[in-house]
Amino acid sequence: MAPTLKALREEVESVRAGEMAKPLREIGPTAIRVQEFAMQCTQQALVLSTSQYAAMKGGHENLAKLVEATTQVSLAATLCTFAIHRRTEVLLYEDADETPAASRSRLSEATEELDRAAKTYSRLAQRLSYRLASFAARREDQQLIARAADSPGVTTAPTEPAAPTALAVPHAHTASGPVRTR
């Protein structure tokens, strides 16, 4: 998630710094990419909500944080689209701002939301990385998952928890070496 959020933020910032003479052509592709990423984040949250991840200690709180980050990415996508609208208002209304200032303001807000999402994902990944580094915590999660699987009406996937592969920090280290997610 972090590299994608960084790349999208840089793209939004680049568009914001540009001329914006043709807003739909200049802002539109970025708005679409941010919207597509928001959909991927929503899909990830949905998959994790029905996996063994939800049964792990703190799983529901982590899902809430994941949804928070998803909302921030979605808001950034909406702000990009709104930047297009603010720039094209001049075609509809006589008193509309003819400069790209209003669009730049919306794109600046979009970068702020992408930054917030990146921080949220980073904190969540760090928390999960610490949990994965602990043998006792992993064992506790396995017990919680087993109990949840035995409970009627609880659906968990029969594989390993989805959180490590979906959100683990790739270069996380402990005193004894790198954290292994599989």
Side-chain angles (χ1 to χ4, degrees), residues 41-131:
C41 292
T42 302
Q43 288 173 325
Q44 179 189 48
L46 176 62
V47 167
L48 289 175
S49 75
T50 59
S51 73
Q52 295 173 351
Y53 179 73
M56 294 169 61
K57 184 175 181 179
H60 291 306
E61 293 84 7
N62 290 340
L63 281 169
K65 285 294 183 185
L66 185 62
V67 170
E68 177 184 340
T70 297
T71 301
Q72 292 160 333
V73 174
S74 183
L75 179 55
T78 300
L79 289 165
C80 288
T81 304
F82 195 52
I84 295 169
H85 171 69
R86 291 305 303 255
R87 193 69 186 101
T88 57
E89 279 183 331
V90 75
L91 302 173
L92 303 173
Y93 310 110
E94 289 180 21
D95 60 344
D97 185 358
E98 293 185 26
T99 70
S103 289
R104 284 197 173 97
S105 173
R106 295 298 175 225
L107 292 173
S108 181
E109 292 171 20
T111 60
E112 290 170 13
E113 290 303 323
L114 291 171
D115 287 342
R116 284 186 190 104
K119 286 177 186 170
T120 301
Y121 271 113
S122 178
R123 284 191 301 266
L124 182 56
Q126 186 176 32
R127 187 178 332 157
L128 292 172
S129 182
Y130 288 139
R131 190 134 183 91

